[in-house]
């Protein structure tokens, strides 16, 4: 949870995000969103008497046999879409070294996507998870629903500090019966599963265990899953600032290292380069859609580029 002194500060923060994201949606995103996320099929409208030129495959044989003359089924495009924004609310998302925490970036992105969705007449829901399901808001329409979602992302106080991405993925697979668009925002931190001593030479990283691979593959097959990975620049490139003591936000463990040490820095770079290659293979073999962002970069361009690629 991000802390503010009083209710007026909370409302001010929400209003700032609303104004900022609304301008972005109106000027940049709405056309892209509407052209990409269309209805998920056709839904039944009515039956009417057959007319010359109608497709005989649409004949309703039950009605035809009952009334003694041919009737056909008419369909209309199923315009309304369910959009679910899933947010990793573990303590690793409460990290940022430049201007904003990862969770603040996630809130702004979620607001842009949510405002785009309601302008497209879609329903928007929210899942907040850590290593458990913390909160679920059923998809609904309206500006008040969007403001509630933004408020929850910014000020929700989770009961756990830890992460289990599988939990969030599995919950969505179980609860969403209708095909939906899912924006899954997390730092997708899987490196905690790797036992690496950064101060010593790193062996070839070949089989990194992605503990959530089964769940993310299953959800991706059932729905339109768009993963948004938010990282901080400090997590990838350490500045030369001497000895540093860092606390793991989830476990409380303190790690000390010397950022001026050349071997340490080279091993860090080697590790991240190899990890990124393995992560890329993981996304390809599961046909996953990923947008990668950093807290010190403008997140608008990468998202717009992704939308344009889908057209």
């Amino acid at each position: 949870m991000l802390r503010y002194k009083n209710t007026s500060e909370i409302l001010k923060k929400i209003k700032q995000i609303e104004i900022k994201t609304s301008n972005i949606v109106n000027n940049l995103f709405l056309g892209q969103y509407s052209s990409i996320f269309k209805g998920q099929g056709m839904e039944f409208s009515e039956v009417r008497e057959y007319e010359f030129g109608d497709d005989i495959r649409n004949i309703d044989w039950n009605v035809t046999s009952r009334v003694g003359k041919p009737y056909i089924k008419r369909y209309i495009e199923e315009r309304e879409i369910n959009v679910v924004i899933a947010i990793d609310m573990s303590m690793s998302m409460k990290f940022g070294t430049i201007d904003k925490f990862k969770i603040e970036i996630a809130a702004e992105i979620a607001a842009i996507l949510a405002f785009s969705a309601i302008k497209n007449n879609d329903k928007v829901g929210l899942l907040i998870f850590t290593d458990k399901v913390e909160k679920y808001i059923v998809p609904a329409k309206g500006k008040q629903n969007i403001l509630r979602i933004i408020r929850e992302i910014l000020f929700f106080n989770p009961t756990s500090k830890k992460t289990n991405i599988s939990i969030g993925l599995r919950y969505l697979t179980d609860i969403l019966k209708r095909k939906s668009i899912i924006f899954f925002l997390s730092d997708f931190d899987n490196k905690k599963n790797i036992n690496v001593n950064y101060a010593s030479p790193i062996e070839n990283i070949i089989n990194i265990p992605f503990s959530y691979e089964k769940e993310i593959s299953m959800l991706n097959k059932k729905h339109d899953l768009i993963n948004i990975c938010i990282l901080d620049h400090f997590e990838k490139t350490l500045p030369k600032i001497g000895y540093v003591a860092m606390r793991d936000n989830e476990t409380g463990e303190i790690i000390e290292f010397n950022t001026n040490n050349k071997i340490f820095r080279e091993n860090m770079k080697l590790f991240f380069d190899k990890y990124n290659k393995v992560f890329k293979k993981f996304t390809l073999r599961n046909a996953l859609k990923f947008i990668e962002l950093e807290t010190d970069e403008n997140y608008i361009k990468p998202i717009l580029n992704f939308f344009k690629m889908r057209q």
Side-chain angles (χ1 to χ4, degrees):
M1 182 179 68
L2 304 179
R3 301 195 179 278
Y4 290 83
K5 295 178 180 179
N6 50 51
T7 303
S8 64
E9 285 193 15
I10 293 174
L11 295 175
K12 181 180 178 181
K13 180 64 176 178
I14 294 173
K15 191 64 179 178
Q16 286 174 344
I17 289 183
E18 179 188 354
I19 293 171
K20 178 179 179 179
T21 56
S22 293
N23 290 336
I24 294 171
V25 168
N26 292 332
N27 295 328
L28 296 173
F29 269 82
L30 188 56
Q32 298 286 346
Y33 181 99
S34 301
S35 63
I36 295 169
F37 302 115
K38 301 177 181 178
Q40 300 297 303
M42 306 295 286
E43 63 178 358
F44 174 74
S45 175
E46 63 179 354
V47 294
R48 65 163 172 79
E49 192 171 345
Y50 176 85
E51 297 177 356
F52 179 77
D54 286 337
D55 191 337
I56 61 173
R57 291 175 297 182
N58 292 332
I59 292 178
D60 187 326
W61 294 107
N62 290 330
V63 176
T64 297
S65 62
R66 190 165 63 246
V67 301
K69 51 185 176 181
Y71 273 74
I72 66 166
K73 296 178 181 178
R74 291 189 64 226
Y75 296 85
I76 59 174
E77 183 183 6
E78 188 180 15
R79 172 59 263 170
E80 186 178 277
I81 303 173
N82 277 351
V83 176
V84 177
I85 297 170
I87 299 280
D88 176 356
M89 197 70 80
S90 62
M91 283 300 293
S92 68
M93 292 290 284
K94 312 290 174 64
F95 178 78
T97 60
I98 306 298
D99 183 34
K100 297 177 181 177
F101 290 162
K102 288 183 276 188
I103 191 61
E104 291 181 279
I105 300 295
E108 291 185 10
I109 294 171
I112 289 171
L113 297 170
F115 278 117
S116 296
I118 63 167
K119 287 180 179 291
N120 210 42
N121 202 34
D122 298 330
K123 294 181 178 180
V124 184
L126 173 69
L127 170 67
I128 295 175
F129 70 94
T130 51
D131 61 348
K132 63 179 74 174
V133 174
E134 299 276 357
K135 191 177 189 67
Y136 179 68
I137 298 176
V138 176
K141 294 184 179 182
K143 180 179 176 180
Q144 291 306 311
N145 177 56
I146 302 305
L147 295 179
R148 178 192 176 193
I149 286 174
I150 296 171
R151 183 177 67 249
E152 292 288 0
I153 295 171
L154 283 173
F155 308 112
F156 185 82
N157 191 15
T159 59
S160 175
K161 296 181 179 179
K162 298 182 179 181
T163 312
N164 188 333
I165 292 175
S166 298
I167 293 294
L169 296 166
R170 194 180 306 126
Y171 183 82
L172 292 173
T173 300
D174 292 340
I175 201 169
L176 295 176
K177 305 305 179 185
R178 175 185 173 187
K179 185 171 182 179
S180 304
I181 298 168
I182 302 169
F183 293 100
F184 202 93
L185 290 86
S186 173
D187 53 11
F188 291 90
D189 186 6
N190 193 63
K191 295 183 287 298
K192 62 174 68 71
N193 296 321
I194 310 165
N195 185 17
V196 174
N197 181 358
Y198 294 128
S200 62
I202 299 173
E203 301 298 330
N204 289 332
I205 300 170
I206 299 175
N207 295 314
I208 296 176
F210 289 93
S211 57
Y212 50 86
E213 183 162 2
K214 177 182 177 181
E215 289 81 3
I216 201 170
S217 177
M218 185 178 299
L219 187 65
N220 188 51
K221 290 175 181 177
K222 291 183 63 177
H223 301 279
D224 189 356
L225 176 63
I226 301 167
N227 302 286
I228 301 177
C229 182
I230 305 173
L231 300 174
D232 187 83
H233 185 71
F234 189 83
E235 295 173 308
K236 299 172 65 176
T237 305
L238 287 175
K240 295 177 68 173
I241 53 177
Y243 281 92
V244 173
M246 293 187 66
R247 179 189 298 273
D248 187 308
N249 284 342
E250 294 188 18
T251 65
E253 179 185 5
I254 297 177
I255 304 172
E256 296 182 357
F257 44 83
N258 181 7
T259 60
N260 290 338
N261 184 286
K262 182 179 179 181
I263 294 177
F264 172 78
R265 293 174 62 82
E266 289 175 350
N267 284 332
M268 280 287 290
K269 185 178 186 306
L270 176 65
F271 169 75
F272 279 108
D273 287 346
K274 291 187 175 181
Y275 176 82
N276 288 336
K277 288 180 181 179
V278 175
F279 188 78
K280 182 68 174 179
K281 291 180 180 179
F282 158 70
T283 63
L284 289 174
R285 69 173 172 263
N286 291 288
L288 300 174
K289 298 179 284 290
F290 263 88
I291 306 173
E292 294 187 6
L293 310 171
E294 292 189 21
T295 55
D296 63 331
E297 296 178 346
N298 187 326
Y299 54 78
I300 302 300
K301 187 175 180 180
I303 297 176
L304 277 176
N305 287 341
F306 174 81
F307 281 4
K308 290 176 182 177
M309 287 175 60
R310 283 185 51 129
Q311 287 183 329

